Amino acid sequence: MQNRIGILRLEKGLSLTELAKAAGTTKAQIQKLERGERRLSLGWMERLARALDVKISDLLPQGAVACQHGPEEKEILEIVSQLPMEDRVVLVRMASELLGTLRRWEGRHGAPGAVAPPIVLTEPDAPPLKHRRGRAAR
């Protein structure tokens, strides 16, 4: 697999030995990874990215497509990328809870695609919402 390990190493001014030490491996392993003679697994990518102080995606050739997303996923990623990190963490927790709730609902009520009741998020100390004509109102 083509990669940018050697380019990034040289940009950082590191020798093979220095990068190997920072990544907790040997000079020979770094050489093999740089030349594509050893599979660049996610584990190796994490170690090398940390040692080079770069993002994992920086190790891949520029213009390489690591994954493809549909329009909905792209829109979600665009929105999330604009949030501060602490808000991203909250959003991921909310999405995870929502997914768990939907899976539990499907498990209790039959086939996938069963319509779950609407989930209404409120502030932690907010009074319960009262429903009027299908709309939540305070």
Side-chain angles (χ1 to χ4, degrees), residues 24-98:
T25 189
T26 65
K27 176 182 169 181
Q29 292 296 344
I30 297 296
Q31 285 175 317
K32 289 177 184 177
L33 288 163
E34 282 188 5
R35 291 191 299 243
E37 295 172 2
R38 180 175 178 106
R39 189 171 84 75
L40 187 58
S41 66
L42 183 57
W44 276 115
M45 291 176 76
E46 289 171 342
R47 289 168 68 177
L48 292 168
R50 193 172 26 255
L52 290 164
D53 192 29
V54 298
K55 296 181 290 188
I56 288 177
S57 60
D58 293 337
L59 298 172
L60 301 175
Q62 291 177 334
V65 177
C67 57
Q68 294 179 339
H69 300 287
E72 294 85 5
E73 290 92 353
K74 286 180 182 177
E75 185 176 358
I76 290 169
L77 291 171
E78 177 61 31
I79 293 167
V80 171
S81 71
Q82 296 175 35
L83 296 173
M85 187 54 70
E86 55 273 10
D87 291 345
R88 292 180 193 188
V89 170
V90 171
L91 184 60
V92 168
R93 286 183 185 150
M94 289 170 49
S96 181
E97 289 294 322
L98 176 60

Side-chain angles (χ1 to χ4, degrees), residues 105-106 109-116:
W105 175 263
E106 288 174 353
H109 295 88
V115 179

